[in-house]
């Protein structure tokens, strides 16, 4: 792939750069000096054992926990900004346990997600019709039929789609997705993967995931974290072949199963 | 062991399950599969007693427990691992386990299954990572020494090598014959390996039912594609 | 029916309801009620104005404002100070200052001689107070029960402060003996009617304001903030600001209600603004339906009317009624009586389904 | 009815109708809320007086018909209810009120409608309305005599303890000025909110100040906390005795500690030894039970109804202006002794008494002004009084 | 010296009272998420229990000792009744419990008024509490020392219950996740009721202590409930340690303010202090942070 050979600067300003990110919880360092460069147009996957610090990295970048080091996007240092400012800077995220506004309808959820780009005065005006970008997002996430249902009544997986839809409406340039396909069936994973691929063209997307099949099918770049540090980075094949990664994360069974057909069909 | 007879249930006015019947034999292991929003979690919540039925019955050991509260069902041998990595966030990992039992040996045994938890015993559960919490959730339920174990997507958010470990534990426990299992799982391969029969549930109705095992993967996939 | 027509009717329904209420309060009531009863209705309207604000803050915003009496009091006392000075004449000072004090007037009274200043103060004072307090509370993410308790404590403290400052505010006795209202003799029934009409008009105006807020995106965002405050941050909004706006608007409405209460009741005293009075305001909102448009106002009118009539018929039983009202309504009808039709309709549907 | 001054012309058109053989009177007391117990006693004695008067042929031959209302211990409700009584029920006069706040709230209403209010409780003075008759003591009939008593006892130092409320604040302002005149030193002044019972820290200050006397203007139940803290910290009637203006027969046994030897200033005690009082006590206890004590406000309320009857019968009219014109000099042989109305300020001349509490929680009169004191609500006859002084 | 020590000692006793009131609240509010505005009325019920006990057993020296356990049980039973009749229906609506219990508190106050009358019914203190001990010029009443001892005893008992018994863990589990606790075999219904009984019972005990200060009147609880809530808020939700420190801090601060200014201004100043404090530590003295969006 050609983009991989270009340096970030050649791509203009659109990349998220993390340098020496450290998060300290009263003495326990959950993240220790992580360096990541996340480029536009690539599906970037973040994997690693439970408790490796993946979510914490995202938390730090989105202002939910305090981190030290550098996280810059378009020349702004995210670590010094507050959550809502970070969102306004174009960085959106989803949560490991889906959180949507339960009493509002799907449509309203999407609509208020677009509020960042409205003027304050526009806030006191009523909504007239459905804005085109909301329609698009609805279609993209396949919830058009459920648009008037309260979001609280959606199933787990549907809520996750809705969250992605809200990021689309927000027009987030960087999307940090924490286990977006957890609990989805194989086909749904596929749909989600395709969706991410489609919208990933002009965005920077980071996905945290444990489902190796999903990673195999959609990852452009994989970063493996372990005990707060980056253990390895590379293509899926490289990662799977890495003995350290096998040891702490994939396990021997997967290694063995990777060769059998049954396992391949597991999530397909 | 566990039987749901003609259960209709839902939230408020909306019905989610329509006349669903399933059965788990003594020592048997059954998988329930279906798409997002099909009603799998709802089914399990009815079985455990967190959601009242609108119609139908829930039987445990042949006895009608439809009106029993969850805690009473748990005392009769039901164990439940809910979806969503739930824990008691302000209690430490150890306290989470102590809620069930303070027996050292029993705790040691489950910690052998989930060694990652050992280093986290004094950390509050609310601070754990998602996968760590999910491991804690399974460990905590195993401590109740259930005869009937109900698992809602237990491997969600868990790293691959631990998933394998969980699979081994479930297989081991069912093989001994003193545990029945009802498993909701998206990983078809995993689900079928760990169980002997399956139900496919679509839009709150059972659409397919059959014998499990790795050979059934294609059948299930076909049933779910409908 | 044609779906667009249905949508149109549904959209206009709240306006029709507000218009009906306007006709009832501004035309029917003055024509049929005795001057005494009309004056009482005027008082209920003042409480209703405050209740409309509570509906916004609590019903939509989830902020249980248990101390609205404070803002009611700010408006009430601001107006009362002006009326007191009007009664005292251009150079005079309020009578109680010579009776209980040393016959000098505290400096902060002086600007209230001006009617224009007073009118501005009625809006600005509560806004400033609510902004400062809200800022301190919301920015530090104090919410839920913490917030409710702090606001109630505020009401207790405010009343204590008023009672303790006898020379400045009349203490426990409060302020009364107003003779005229911006030049209009308050003993004249025609002028009393005018004051009543102003209050009713203000109620309708407040209803229109919340109607617009409820249908606006701000209204949706407010509900979102109520249900998942932290999540709103990740929409790019600071929830503190959203809550602050609702809180300030509610405070201003309470203040307007208080300002009209003073001339209509002829008195404003600590017992009109303390914790009990604040809870009394909440009762109306809970009864009518906290999240509905007209619920809070109608609830407040009902509770006010109930207080007068019940205390006339069963003097000592009134407290039981108020207490049981809370228990029954909140327990069985958390969305208020105003929501009863919908509850019944859906229950009916379920039984036939 | 006639209009008052020109500017209020439109209002006050009376709707009172006394053409029938009854006359409607309003009884407005709090029967709910914090003040209800106190005000209920007033209501009881008003009812007793009404019953007696009706049995005796009524007022000018007309039977009294009482319209009762609850003030709910809330000034705004008092204002609302008195307006209802005057304009809705068209009563000829209203009897009631207790707190100064309730009276202040009723005052503009009763003036605007040119009605009549009879107010039965001792108060802080500095008021005189054409439309109100004050049948309790004003300050120069209670506070000032109490100070005279203290001076006669050789008091050199005095500590002031009161509720944070209009009456105590105003009373203490008067006390301080008169104390300066009498050469009594004020060694402390403490206030506690009305509904606060904990007097511990304030009493600690009394312990330190070691005053000859404590002047107590505390209202209601807060007295109990004060008395308990007072004895708890080793004070007593033999060291720093208390003189109270709100502890009467009803309250004395309810202090949680014996208050034998302490003093109170009133115009009436149950122990007053006159035939009228004996009859009053008997009538009251026959009606409400032998255990019920009688007290000053009850007696003042009872008296107020009889005074009203006397004025109306002198004026031969229920009309407010006629009543006001006739009121001066009307007197009544009340349980406390003979009382006479001052037509100028609508207060009544009363005899001041100081009682010392005995073991039966009755008051032994230890000092008396001997003759009724003319009411002087604005203290115009006291040269030391300067209302504008701090 | 005594200008300094008097408020300190008196304030400590006030703090002890606040602590007893707040302990019950942290249990029901902090541990169960129920904001019980009728808690103050349980104090009142405790005080009236002391009064009624004294009507039956007129010997004041004995009656107060009988009243303590009795008040615990009587107030506890009222709490239990409240739980069964009202609260148990609304565990998922914490703010609503606040309003419902406001209603309950109004009813209880009026009930007390109708039964006992609005004015105070006094409880006579036992002779073994009459008197004081001179400390730096302050005649420190035995009664205040007794209050402090009582508060510490209540604190010790409650702490032991929560920390060292399985029941304590069950209470905490129930408040943190009702459904999950239920599926771990915890009978949340039993837990709720016992918790409410104990929490309300503690208020009853506090009421006995309050009855020794002033009169026993229907509004007695109102004076303490707001301060007690402020203590719970400042101490941090469900935190015994924080509650203890906050109770004594509020008690002592109020005493100093009252000494310097007036009792009324002390209330105002204390409130301002708590709001300022929340600026520094919005979740109270001791907080338990969790991750995510909760
Ligand atoms: N606030 C905190 N205080 C203390 N430790 C914390 C805190 N937050 C997270 N941790 C710890 O930091 C480590 C990293 O957690 P993190 O959630 O980032 O893991 P993760 O890589 O996302 O894991 P998973 O795959 O299970 O979601 C874990 O061991 C967790 O227990
Ligand atoms: N609390 C609720 N109120 C109303 N409807 C609900 C509620 N919870 C779930 N539902 C609805 O019930 C249906 C079934 O949900 P359920 O959670 O049982 O699905 P599921 O099969 O477990 O899905 P997933 O794989 O996403 O976990 C969904 O359509 C959902 O919208
Ligand atoms: Mg994670
Ligand atoms: Mg599910």
């Amino acid at each position: 792939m050609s983009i991989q050979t270009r340096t970030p600067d050649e791509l203009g300003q659109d990349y998220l750069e993390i340098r020496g990110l450290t998060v300290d919880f009263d003495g326990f360092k959950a993240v220790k000096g992580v360096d990541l460069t996340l480029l536009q147009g690539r599906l970037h996957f973040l994997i690693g054992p439970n408790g490796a610090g993946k979510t914490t990295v995202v938390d730090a970048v989105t202002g939910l926990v305090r981190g030290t080091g550098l996280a810059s996007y378009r020349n702004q240092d995210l670590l010094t900004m507050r959550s809502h400012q970070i969102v306004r800077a174009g960085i959106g995220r989803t949560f490991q346990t889906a959180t949507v506004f339960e009493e509002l309808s799907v449509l309203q959820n999407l609509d208020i997600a677009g509020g960042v780009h409205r003027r304050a005065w526009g806030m006191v005006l009523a909504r007239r019709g459905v804005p085109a970008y909301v329609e698009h997002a609805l279609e993209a996430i396949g919830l058009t039929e459920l648009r008037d249902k309260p979001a609280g009544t959606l199933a787990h997986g549907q809520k996750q789609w809705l969250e992605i839809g809200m990021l689309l409406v927000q027009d987030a340039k960087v999307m940090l997705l924490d286990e977006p396909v957890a609990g989805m069936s194989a086909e749904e994973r596929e749909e989600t993967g395709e969706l991410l691929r489609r919208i990933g063209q002009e965005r920077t997307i980071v996905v945290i995931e444990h489902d190796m099949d999903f990673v195999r099918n959609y990852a452009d770049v994989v970063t493996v974290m372990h005990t707060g540090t980056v253990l390895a980075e590379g293509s899926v094949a490289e990662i799977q072949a890495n003995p350290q990664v096998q040891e702490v994360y994939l396990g021997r069974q997967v290694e063995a199963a990777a060769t059998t057909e049954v396992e391949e069909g597991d999530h397909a | 062991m566990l039987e749901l007879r003609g259960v209709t249930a839902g939230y408020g006015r909306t019905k989610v399950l329509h006349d669903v019947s399933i059965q788990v034999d003594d020592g048997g292991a059954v998988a329930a599969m279906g798409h997002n929003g099909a009603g799998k979690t709802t089914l399990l919540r009815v079985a455990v007693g967190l959601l009242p039925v609108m119609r139908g019955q829930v039987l445990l050991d042949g006895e009608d427990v439809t009106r029993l509260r969850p805690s009473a069902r748990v005392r009769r041998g039901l164990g439940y691992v809910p979806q969503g990595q739930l824990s008691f966030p302000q209690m430490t990992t150890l306290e989470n386990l102590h809620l069930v039992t303070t027996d050292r040996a029993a705790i040691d045994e489950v910690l052998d299954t989930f060694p990652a938890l050992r280093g986290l015993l004094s950390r509050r559960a609310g601070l754990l990572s998602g996968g760590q919490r999910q491991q804690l959730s399974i460990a905590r339920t195993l401590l109740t020494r259930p005869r009937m174990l109900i698992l809602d997507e237990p491997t969600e958010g868990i790293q691959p090598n631990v998933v394998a470990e969980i699979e081994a534990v479930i297989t081991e426990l069912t093989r001994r014959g003193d545990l029945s299992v009802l498993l909701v799982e998206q990983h078809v391969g995993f689900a079928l390996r760990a169980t002997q029969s399956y139900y496919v549930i679509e839009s709150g109705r059972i659409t397919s039912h059959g014998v499990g095992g790795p050979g059934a993967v294609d059948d299930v996939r076909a049933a779910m594609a409908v | 029916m044609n779906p667009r027509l249905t949508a149109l009717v549904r959209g206009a329904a709240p306006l029709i309801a507000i218009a009906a209420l306007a006709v009832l309060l501004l035309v029917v009531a003055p024509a049929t009620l005795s001057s005494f009863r009309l004056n009482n209705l005027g008082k209920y309207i003042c409480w209703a104005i405050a209740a409309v604000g509570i509906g916004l803050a609590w019903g939509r915003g989830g902020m249980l404002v248990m101390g609205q009496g404070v803002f009611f009091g700010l408006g009430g006392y601001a107006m009362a100070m002006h009326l007191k000075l009007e009664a005292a004449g251009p150079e005079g000072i309020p009578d109680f200052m010579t009776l209980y004090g040393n016959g000098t007037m505290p400096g902060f009274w002086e600007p209230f001689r001006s009617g224009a200043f007073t009118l501005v103060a009625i809006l600005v004072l509560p806004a400033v107070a609510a902004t400062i307090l809200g800022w301190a509370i919301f920015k530090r993410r104090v919410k839920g029960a913490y917030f409710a308790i702090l606001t109630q404590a505020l009401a207790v403290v405010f009343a204590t402060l008023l009672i303790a400052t006898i020379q400045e505010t009349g203490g426990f006795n409060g302020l009364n003996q107003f003779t005229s209202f911006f030049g209009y003799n308050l003993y004249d029934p025609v002028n009393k009617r005018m004051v009543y009409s102003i209050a009713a008009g203000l109620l309708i105006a407040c209803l229109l304001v919340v109607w617009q807020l409820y249908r606006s995106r701000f209204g949706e965002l407010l509900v979102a903030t109520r249900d998942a405050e932290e999540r709103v941050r990740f929409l790019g909004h600071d929830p503190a600001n959203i809550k602050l706006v609702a809180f300030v608007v509610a405070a201003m409405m309470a203040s307007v209600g208080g300002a009209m209460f003073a001339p209509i009741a002829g008195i404003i005293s600590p017992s009109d603004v303390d914790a009990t009075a604040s809870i009394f305001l909440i009762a109306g909102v809970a009864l009518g339906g906290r999240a509905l448009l007209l619920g809070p106002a109608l609830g407040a009118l009902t509770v006010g009317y109930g207080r007068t009539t019940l205390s006339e018929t069963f003097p000592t039983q009134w407290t039981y009624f108020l207490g049981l009202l809370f228990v029954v309504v909140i327990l069985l009808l958390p969305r208020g009586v105003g929501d009863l039709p919908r509850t019944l309709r859906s229950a009916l549907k379920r039984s036939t389904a | 009815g006639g209009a008052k001054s020109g500017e209020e012309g439109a209002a006050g058109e009376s709707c009172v109708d006394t053409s029938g053989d009854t006359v409607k009177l309003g009884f407005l007391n709090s029967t709910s809320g914090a003040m209800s117990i106190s005000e209920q006693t007033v209501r009881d004695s008003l009812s007793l007086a009404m019953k007696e008067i009706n049995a005796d042929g009524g007022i000018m031959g007309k039977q009294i018909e009482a319209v009762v209302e609850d003030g709910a211990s809330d000034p705004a409700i008092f204002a609302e209810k008195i307006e209802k009584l005057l304009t809705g029920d068209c009563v000829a006069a209203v009897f009631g009120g207790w707190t100064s706040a309730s009276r202040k709230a009723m005052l503009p209403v009763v003036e605007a409608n040119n009605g009549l209010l009879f107010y039965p409780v001792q108060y802080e003075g500095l008021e005189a309305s054409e439309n109100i008759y004050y049948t309790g003591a004003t300050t120069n009939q209670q506070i000032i005599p109490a100070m005279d008593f203290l001076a006669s006892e050789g008091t050199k130092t005095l500590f002031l303890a009161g509720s944070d409320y209009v009456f105590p604040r105003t009373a203490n302002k008067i006390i301080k000025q008169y104390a300066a005149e009498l050469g009594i030193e004020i060694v402390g002044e403490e206030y506690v909110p009305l509904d606060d019972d904990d007097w511990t820290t304030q009493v600690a200050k009394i312990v330190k100040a070691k005053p000859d006397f404590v002047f107590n203007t505390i209202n209601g139940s807060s007295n109990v906390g004060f008395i308990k803290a007072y004895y708890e910290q080793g004070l007593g009637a033999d060291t720093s005795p208390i003189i109270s203006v709100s502890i009467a027969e009803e309250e004395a046994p309810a202090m949680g500690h014996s208050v034998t030897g302490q003093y109170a200033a009133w115009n009436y005690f149950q122990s007053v030894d006159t035939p009228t009082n004996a009859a009053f006590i008997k009538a009251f206890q026959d009606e409400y039970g032998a255990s019920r004590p009688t007290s000053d406000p009850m007696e003042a309320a009872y008296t107020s109804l009889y005074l009203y009857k006397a004025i109306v019968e002198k004026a031969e009219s229920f009309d407010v202006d006629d009543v006001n014109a006739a009121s001066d000099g009307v007197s009544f042989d009340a349980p406390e002794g003979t009382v006479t109305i001052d037509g100028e300020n609508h207060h009544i001349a009363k005899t001041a008494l100081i009682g010392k509490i005995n073991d039966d929680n009755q008051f032994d009169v230890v000092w008396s002004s001997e003759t009724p004191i003319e009411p002087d609500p604005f203290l115009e006859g006291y040269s030391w009084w300067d209302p504008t002084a701090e | 010296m005594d200008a300094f020590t008097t408020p300190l000692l008196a304030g400590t006793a006030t703090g002890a009272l606040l602590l007893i009131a707040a302990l019950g609240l942290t249990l029901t509010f902090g541990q169960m998420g129920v904001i019980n505005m009728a808690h103050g009325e349980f104090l009142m019920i405790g005080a009236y229990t002391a009064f009624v006990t004294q009507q039956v057993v007129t010997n004041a020296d004995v009656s107060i000792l009988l009243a303590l356990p009795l008040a615990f049980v009587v107030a506890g039973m009222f709490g239990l009744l409240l739980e069964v009749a009202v609260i148990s229906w609304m565990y998922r609506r914490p703010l609503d419990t606040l309003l419902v219990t406001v209603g309950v508190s109004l009813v209880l106050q009026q009930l007390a008024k109708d039964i006992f009358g609005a004015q105070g019914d006094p409880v006579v203190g036992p002779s073994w509490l009459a008197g004081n001990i001179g400390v730096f010029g302050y005649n420190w009443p035995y009664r205040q020392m007794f209050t402090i001892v009582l508060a510490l005893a209540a604190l010790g008992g409650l702490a032991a219950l929560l920390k060292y018994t399985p029941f304590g863990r069950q209470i905490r589990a129930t408040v943190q996740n009702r459904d999950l606790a239920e599926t771990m075999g915890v009978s949340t219904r039993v837990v709720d009721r016992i918790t409410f009984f104990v929490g309300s019972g503690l208020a009853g005990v506090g009421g006995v202590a309050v009855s020794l200060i002033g009169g026993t009147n229907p509004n007695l609880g109102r004076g303490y409930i707001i301060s007690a809530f402020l203590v719970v808020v400042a101490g941090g939700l469900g935190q015994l340690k924080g509650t203890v420190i906050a109770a004594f801090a509020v008690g002592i601060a109020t005493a100093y303010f009252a000494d310097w200014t007036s009792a009324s201004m002390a209330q105002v100043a204390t409130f301002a202090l708590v709001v300022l404090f929340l600026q520094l530590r919005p979740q109270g003295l001791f907080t338990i942070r969790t991750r995510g969006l909760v």
Side-chain angles (χ1 to χ4, degrees), chain D residues 58-109:
Chain D
I59 301 178
M60 282 208 317
K62 297 182 198 298
Q63 291 287 302
I64 301 170
E65 187 190 327
V67 182
V68 300
E69 282 292 349
D70 174 20
S73 312
D74 180 343
I77 304 255
F78 270 96
E80 173 187 318
K81 297 293 183 185
I82 198 168
E83 182 166 5
K84 169 182 175 278
L85 287 170
L86 294 174
T87 65
D89 299 311
C90 300
V91 299
V94 178
F95 295 75
W98 181 294
T99 60
S100 286
S102 67
R103 189 192 65 254
K104 288 281 182 200
M106 290 188 284
L107 184 139
V109 182

Side-chain angles (χ1 to χ4, degrees), chain A residues 155-157 183, chain B residues 35-42 44 83-84 152-153 156 184 186:
Chain A
H156 193 67
Chain B
H35 285 293
N36 250 209
K40 306 178 295 294
T41 298
T42 309
L44 300 196
Q83 186 173 17
D152 198 351
E153 311 207 9
E156 193 176 305
V184 163
Q186 295 291 3

Side-chain angles (χ1 to χ4, degrees), chain A residues 54-56 96 178-179 208 210, chain B residues 129-131, chain E residues 291:
Chain A
K54 305 180 293 294
T55 302
T56 309
Q96 198 160 349
D178 201 351
E179 306 197 15
I208 298 178
H210 286 296
Chain B
S129 80
Chain E
R291 306 179 69 190

